[in-house]
Amino acid sequence: MYIDVHCHLTGDEYGEVGGVTAVLERATADGVTRIVCSGFDLSSSIQACALAERFPQVYFSAGFHPSELNKYQDGDWEKLSALFMHEKCVAVGEIGLDYHFDDNPPKEFQRACFIKQLELANTAKLPVVIHSRDSAQETYEILTEHKALLNHGGLLHCYSYSPEMSERFLELDLYFSFGGTSTFKNAKKVFESVQRVPATRILSETDCPYLTPTPYRGEFPNEPRRVALVAKRLAELKGVSETDMQEILFANAKRLFTKLK
Ligand code: NI
């Protein structure tokens, strides 16, 4: 049995609702029994919630991705907070910092919204799912300064910073999820991070529709069924059996996402 702790099933690439149904059927056929669909703004968070209400194996997270903050409107924090109360909302996310593109929202605004959502998560007693790109140091500093808001834990999704940096994030008791990049041929940094992070802190994701794992790399859209390839790769990198890794990944997900049944 497999779990995909981070994916996006609300986009047009899967077609209408029937398209998602087929995607989820293929996931079930391949043993993927739990899926967390991640919001990245208000409307995708509402859609992720609707998917979770419709499909028993789907859970969701709600939040504003740093690159999407130009869509933020007054009142959105309140609307997101209402979603956090939902029985299948397992986390606040994805939230964080993204300094990759020059035309991303201003850094100061990203930081303020990141901190705001850490506060909302703490109030809602939920863990956070963090997206952090080209901003390792600042992400670390904000989390360290606001450690008191991390009472319910957190996850660095699609972890791609250095193995050394992972040790600093570990001091904050964070979890790390790995996806398709862990199966890519030259992702040496990712391999080393997987090996360095304790097995009790690792989660599996697809981040679909992106980052399709090897040997399907380049296929679009990626699907939750492909998380089986990620779990297999994590087992290899950790030197444990595939069955043991599947159990570890489920146990870790349930420890972090306490609403996951
Ligand atoms: Ni994502």
Side-chain angles (χ1 to χ4, degrees):
M1 292 198 313
Y2 301 99
I3 176 165
D4 182 356
V5 300
H6 186 99
C7 64
H8 306 280
L9 297 175
T10 53
D12 296 340
E13 55 277 336
Y14 299 110
E16 295 307 309
V17 173
V20 174
T21 304
V23 166
L24 291 172
E25 276 168 8
R26 285 193 286 274
T28 304
D30 284 356
V32 183
T33 57
R34 288 292 178 274
I35 293 168
V36 180
C37 181
S38 177
F40 49 85
D41 60 9
L42 180 63
S43 103
S44 62
S45 297
I46 291 170
Q47 284 177 275
C49 176
L51 277 181
E53 287 183 341
R54 186 176 164 144
F55 298 99
Q57 73 274 42
V58 177
Y59 288 72
F60 75 103
S61 68
F64 246 104
H65 186 291
S67 306
E68 305 292 329
L69 286 166
N70 49 358
K71 293 188 217 151
Y72 178 81
Q73 294 185 330
D74 280 348
D76 282 358
W77 297 142
E78 289 72 17
K79 289 175 189 161
L80 282 172
S81 294
L83 288 175
F84 300 157
M85 310 297 289
H86 194 283
E87 59 174 357
K88 294 186 91 177
C89 182
V90 297
V92 172
E94 54 188 302
I95 65 173
L97 301 176
D98 192 322
Y99 293 174
H100 189 68
F101 297 108
D102 290 339
D103 61 349
N104 277 359
K107 292 178 178 178
E108 200 46 54
F109 186 48
Q110 289 194 37
R111 285 193 285 265
C113 293
F114 185 21
I115 295 165
K116 175 69 186 176
Q117 292 181 92
L118 291 173
E119 287 166 2
L120 295 177
N122 191 47
T123 305
K125 298 185 166 37
L126 286 177
V128 287
V129 174
I130 299 165
H131 167 103
S132 176
R133 191 173 186 197
D134 294 346
S135 56
Q137 186 58 29
E138 286 214 37
T139 301
Y140 176 77
E141 281 167 14
I142 286 179
L143 293 172
T144 306
E145 253 170 66
H146 298 86
K147 196 170 189 297
L149 299 174
L150 288 174
N151 290 318
H152 306 280
L155 161 67
L156 289 159
H157 111 81
C158 204
Y159 183 78
S160 54
Y161 291 137
S162 70
E164 293 74 29
M165 199 67 207
S166 73
E167 299 205 334
R168 301 177 65 195
F169 284 117
L170 270 173
E171 289 163 17
L172 294 164
D173 284 335
L174 296 176
Y175 285 75
F176 301 76
S177 69
F178 297 96
T181 46
S182 66
T183 68
F184 295 171
K185 215 167 78 188
N186 298 318
K188 204 168 148 253
K189 252 178 17 177
V190 178
F191 307 159
E192 283 175 24
S193 295
V194 173
Q195 284 163 340
R196 197 176 289 210
V197 170
T200 50
R201 294 276 148 180
I202 288 178
L203 299 172
S204 53
E205 66 164 89
T206 57
D207 204 13
C208 67
Y210 315 106
L211 296 171
T212 308
T214 305
Y216 303 101
R217 189 175 181 180
E219 259 182 31
F220 187 87
N222 188 12
E223 294 187 9
R225 69 190 299 199
R226 302 296 186 211
V227 82
L229 293 164
V230 173
K232 190 173 174 204
R233 179 68 179 138
L234 294 177
E236 239 172 57
L237 287 168
K238 280 306 216 186
V240 302
S241 75
E242 287 180 39
T243 326
D244 284 353
M245 183 49 77
Q246 290 175 33
E247 276 174 25
I248 290 168
L249 292 170
F250 256 95
N252 293 348
K254 287 193 167 166
R255 200 179 318 111
L256 177 64
F257 300 131
T258 54
K259 285 182 178 174
L260 198 70
K261 298 267 180 318

